Amino acid sequence: GYSAGITALRLREMASELSKTSLIADEVIIDGQAIMLTFTKIGRDVFPEAIKQSINLSLVFGQDLQQSIIQVGKALNEPITGVGRLGKIGVSFSEIQKGQIKGFMAINDLASAQGVILKELTKETGKLSGVMATTPLSGWKQAWMDIKDAGEGLGNVLSVILAPFERVAEATGKLALAIDFLDNIWTNRDSKKA
């Protein structure tokens, strides 16, 4: 997360928070964050909102998060051409907004140009990810995601607990091979005597 100036811990926390409101698995969001971090012109202040709006775009247009991340990332990285790309999927920018973006870019004010894009994305996609968490089925989906997360945690704990036993089993297997080897030598020795 260094290009955006965000720590890995903060990225995981952000993914966990967004997972609860969007009902998209935190692992999927983390994968999306990794893609968004490849866009070098998206800084710390814009990054969280870019991720949120990518999630909303996915939910509204029924596309996978990776695709939305790439679309939003490209638009924020290159605002003048990016609004055209977003327009092709159904996000409309007025001529005034396009003029604002060009004006901001003319004076090298990338953050303000990005702000116009994020504001329009918010307007068009609303706060759908937050609304998704209030639907009747969302409680079940969130419970399932919590169970999966707990299972991941349990798996990590069990792997630490069972690691010494795995080494003992591995050593026991090697010992058995050594005993078989010695037994073969001993058996061959006895058969040569007879």
Side-chain angles (χ1 to χ4, degrees), residues 106-183:
I107 60 170
N108 205 24
D109 187 356
L110 178 64
S112 294
Q114 291 172 333
V116 172
I117 293 169
L118 290 172
K119 186 175 180 182
E120 185 58 29
L121 283 170
T122 302
K123 178 181 155 198
E124 292 206 20
T125 64
K127 299 184 187 288
L128 189 58
S129 64
V131 173
M132 291 296 289
T134 63
T135 63
L137 291 177
S138 66
W140 289 102
K141 186 165 184 182
Q142 185 60 50
W144 177 246
M145 289 170 51
D146 289 344
I147 289 169
K148 282 178 54 182
D149 287 345
E152 289 170 7
L154 180 61
N156 291 338
V157 169
L158 286 176
S159 70
V160 170
I161 291 170
L162 296 176
F165 295 105
E166 187 176 316
R167 287 191 289 274
V168 168
E170 194 176 295
T172 303
K174 288 178 182 177
L175 181 60
L177 289 173
I179 290 170
D180 284 345
F181 177 75
L182 291 173
D183 185 49

Side-chain angles (χ1 to χ4, degrees), residues 37-140:
L37 287 170
T38 66
F39 295 99
T40 57
K41 295 179 184 175
I42 298 173
R44 174 193 318 228
D45 296 335
V46 172
F47 188 87
E49 189 62 24
I51 295 294
K52 284 181 199 173
Q53 292 313 316
S54 296
I55 290 169
N56 287 340
L57 197 66
S58 288
L59 295 171
V60 167
F61 291 105
Q63 59 188 22
D64 73 353
L65 182 58
Q66 180 177 349
Q67 186 177 1
S68 294
I69 292 276
I70 291 169
Q71 290 165 335
V72 172
K74 284 181 177 181
L76 295 174
N77 220 41
E78 299 294 333
I80 293 173
T81 57
V83 295
R85 287 188 194 113
L86 288 175
K88 289 179 182 177
I89 64 164
V91 179
S92 303
F93 290 87
S94 69
E95 290 305 315
I96 292 171
Q97 289 170 315
K98 291 176 186 176
Q100 288 174 327
I101 291 168
K102 285 180 184 174
F104 287 132
M105 293 306 292
I107 60 170
N108 205 24
D109 187 356
L110 178 64
S112 294
Q114 291 172 333
V116 172
I117 293 169
L118 290 172
K119 186 175 180 182
E120 185 58 29
L121 283 170
T122 302
K123 178 181 155 198
E124 292 206 20
T125 64
K127 299 184 187 288
L128 189 58
S129 64
V131 173
M132 291 296 289
T134 63
T135 63
L137 291 177
S138 66
W140 289 102

